[in-house]
Amino acid sequence: MEPIISSLLETDAYKFSMGQAIYHQFSDYKTTWSFKCRNADVKFTPEMVDEIKRQIKLYCDLRFTEEELEYLHNIKWIKGSYCDFLRLWKPRFDDFSFGTDAPCGLTIETRGTWLNTSMYEIPTLAIVNEVYFRMAYDYDELYASFVERLNAKVDKLAKGEYELGAFSEFGLRRRLSAQAQETAVMALANHKYPTSTFVGTSNVYLAKKYGITPVGTMAHEWIMCVGQGNHKHNPAYSNWYALDAWVKEYGVLNGTALTDAITTDCFLEDFQLTYATLFSGVRHDSGDPYAWGDKMIEHYKELGIDPKSKMLLFSDSLDFDRATAIHKYFKDKIKVAFGIGTFIANDTKVPALNIVMKTTACNGMDVAKISDVPGKGMCKSPEYEHYLNRCIQWRMDHETGNNSLRV
């Protein structure tokens, strides 16, 4: 195969958002990341594993070009000091380890500084996806079915049958292929729609190539590592530590907070007047989107903030029909936007892979995500997960509704 990742810009925008803050505040943190395939019927052959290794070696040979660094520096929240670091940065193949003893036939772990390992997640997943679909199926047939479905989506958007408002493409990690994602971004960007607006892509390489907006702020790793990586911290306050560090880096810029790293209810204990004012909105990634959105609107109202001045960004397993229904429900109550991934970048006649690569340790200690629904976390230590749940529960039992904390 040709190289799947052709540029170090070919990652999600939030990797640079978090990367800059990691560089300035947490450069000594070390993390472990673990790959998991959640599809019960998927098997990676030895030949696939070999090709995945080869592709990751090719990725590790890449460097940022001066043109790419200039592009990053022109993003208003990217600082020159971080661009200077990226000028020297390179992926390290020695940070990767591979195996075949998982039920799916593939294990991948990365270990090293958070600065390094954070950057590996998205390219690794994109490589695994493309290798699998090119080697397990007739790729040309899959791509043809992808284009057919993409054209039908664009046609419905153009006719106003979908009403999404603002939406972005978030499909890099689970795309069918680099070719498919680029085809989708080009198709969406080249049309105007009566009730929808395509505002950008999470893929920074494609954003640069087509002159559209790179979209992305923070991921669960930020709250998990900032909040749980310092062993002196009570992990039930992970969101406070993470929000505080984010504001220290960006002020009012680049501010969409992720709510479900240790449950949205616990997040709201820390998302009080100061942070709710400074952050332009919040992102939904698990649980009932309607109940979550209503809860956020009520929270803003309780703080005396006009919900219509804030944004709800939905990004959990969306298709255009679900997004349309959510948009219609909330559009007169609060600003709404959508990040839509697999439905845009890997909608074919065969099921998409459900693969993830998650932070499983930080500074020698287990970390965990406790989302708003079971099954989205990946903690290797049941004991630590139990401890984290107990910390959260104690806080919710003893502090909820304490007005003295609402600052």
Side-chain angles (χ1 to χ4, degrees), residues 22 72 134 143 150-151 155 169 213 230 268 275 289 325 342 346 350 380 397 404:
I22 294 166
L72 287 174
R134 284 187 180 273
Y143 180 72
L150 173 65
N151 290 339
D155 184 59
E169 186 276 327
T213 302
N230 185 330
L268 292 179
Y275 295 132
T342 306
N346 196 356
V350 303
K380 289 192 170 183
D397 288 344
S404 66

Side-chain angles (χ1 to χ4, degrees), residues 33-53:
W33 292 67
S34 304
F35 168 85
K36 183 176 183 179
C37 178
R38 294 169 174 161
N39 303 73
D41 58 344
V42 166
K43 182 72 173 178
F44 291 89
T45 66
E47 293 78 14
M48 292 177 186
V49 175
D50 287 343
E51 180 62 20
I52 288 165
K53 290 181 186 177

Side-chain angles (χ1 to χ4, degrees), residues 165-169 184-185 188-189 191 193 196-201 212 344:
F167 75 102
S168 302
E169 186 276 327
V185 168
L188 292 168
H191 293 80
Y193 313 109
S196 306
T197 303
F198 179 64
V199 297
T201 175
I212 57 181
I344 292 177

Side-chain angles (χ1 to χ4, degrees), residues 88 90 136 139 153 176 207 212 253 341 363 370:
L88 303 174
K90 64 183 288 293
Y139 171 77
K153 297 182 185 89
L176 171 65
I212 57 181
L253 295 176
N363 295 333
I370 311 293

Side-chain angles (χ1 to χ4, degrees), residues 98-160:
F98 303 88
T100 58
D101 57 352
C104 69
L106 173 65
T107 64
I108 305 173
E109 281 203 337
T110 60
R111 293 183 178 88
T113 64
W114 191 14
L115 271 170
N116 279 357
T117 52
S118 175
M119 295 292 278
Y120 302 153
E121 176 196 3
I122 307 302
T124 297
L125 292 174
I127 285 168
V128 170
N129 255 295
E130 185 158 348
V131 168
Y132 177 79
F133 283 111
R134 284 187 180 273
M135 296 183 72
Y137 296 95
D138 183 322
Y139 171 77
D140 290 337
E141 286 187 10
L142 282 189
Y143 180 72
S145 71
F146 168 81
V147 171
E148 181 180 358
R149 294 177 184 215
L150 173 65
N151 290 339
K153 297 182 185 89
V154 172
D155 184 59
K156 288 185 176 182
L157 284 168
K159 292 177 178 176

Side-chain angles (χ1 to χ4, degrees), residues 378-405:
M378 202 171 108
C379 181
K380 289 192 170 183
S381 169
E383 294 82 5
Y384 178 76
E385 193 167 359
H386 179 63
Y387 163 72
L388 177 56
N389 272 305
R390 285 190 294 115
C391 290
I392 295 168
Q393 192 59 53
W394 188 95
R395 185 180 182 195
M396 298 304 294
D397 288 344
H398 289 80
E399 292 186 3
T400 301
N402 186 339
N403 290 329
S404 66
L405 299 174

